[in-house]
Amino acid sequence: RFGKGVYCSATSSKSNDYSKNLSHSPWTALLLNSVVVGNPYNMYDNSPQQFHPPDGYDSIIGQPGRALNYDETIVYRNDAIRPVYLILYLTPRASSG
């Protein structure tokens, strides 16, 4: 939605939607991160051509309401994010009907 960056959300279900389990394990892993947003720029619509925040800003906050259903925080520098906790939880199995 906002170009190539590191995406985070305070909404765990949003993060869960982007998790991938390639090992067929019953567990799903999410990282709880510390994110340095600095001076954030609020956006309400998609902007896939973004490669960095606008001049004078350090990050982008995707605000829900128009194009977004959930919050997103996007940083464009790897040193702006640090994992704090690894959260493991059982993935519900899909019902066979």
Side-chain angles (χ1 to χ4, degrees), residues 20-21 23-29 87-91:
K20 297 222 185 320
N21 188 337
S23 69
H24 305 293
S25 168
W27 296 94
T28 298
I87 300 168
L88 296 172
Y89 57 97
L90 286 172
T91 306

Side-chain angles (χ1 to χ4, degrees), residues 6 13 18 31 36 46 49 55-56 65 68-69 80-81 92-93 96-97:
V6 181
S13 61
Y18 285 90
L31 290 172
V36 178
N46 295 332
Q49 73 282 0
D55 288 343
L68 298 171
N69 292 326
I81 186 167
R93 294 189 184 264
S96 58

Side-chain angles (χ1 to χ4, degrees), residues 19-51:
S19 67
K20 297 222 185 320
N21 188 337
L22 302 177
S23 69
H24 305 293
S25 168
W27 296 94
T28 298
L30 288 178
L31 290 172
L32 180 63
N33 300 296
S34 176
V35 182
V36 178
V37 297
N39 183 23
Y41 183 78
N42 291 308
M43 296 189 75
Y44 299 87
D45 295 305
N46 295 332
S47 183
Q49 73 282 0
Q50 291 291 142
F51 292 102

Side-chain angles (χ1 to χ4, degrees), residues 39-89:
N39 183 23
Y41 183 78
N42 291 308
M43 296 189 75
Y44 299 87
D45 295 305
N46 295 332
S47 183
Q49 73 282 0
Q50 291 291 142
F51 292 102
H52 54 79
D55 288 343
Y57 294 91
D58 302 302
S59 61
I60 290 178
I61 304 290
Q63 295 287 354
R66 293 200 300 226
L68 298 171
N69 292 326
Y70 302 100
D71 64 282
E72 295 186 28
T73 300
I74 304 91
V75 294
Y76 296 87
R77 296 175 48 134
N78 290 336
D79 61 354
I81 186 167
R82 291 287 182 261
V84 177
Y85 294 102
L86 171 64
I87 300 168
L88 296 172
Y89 57 97

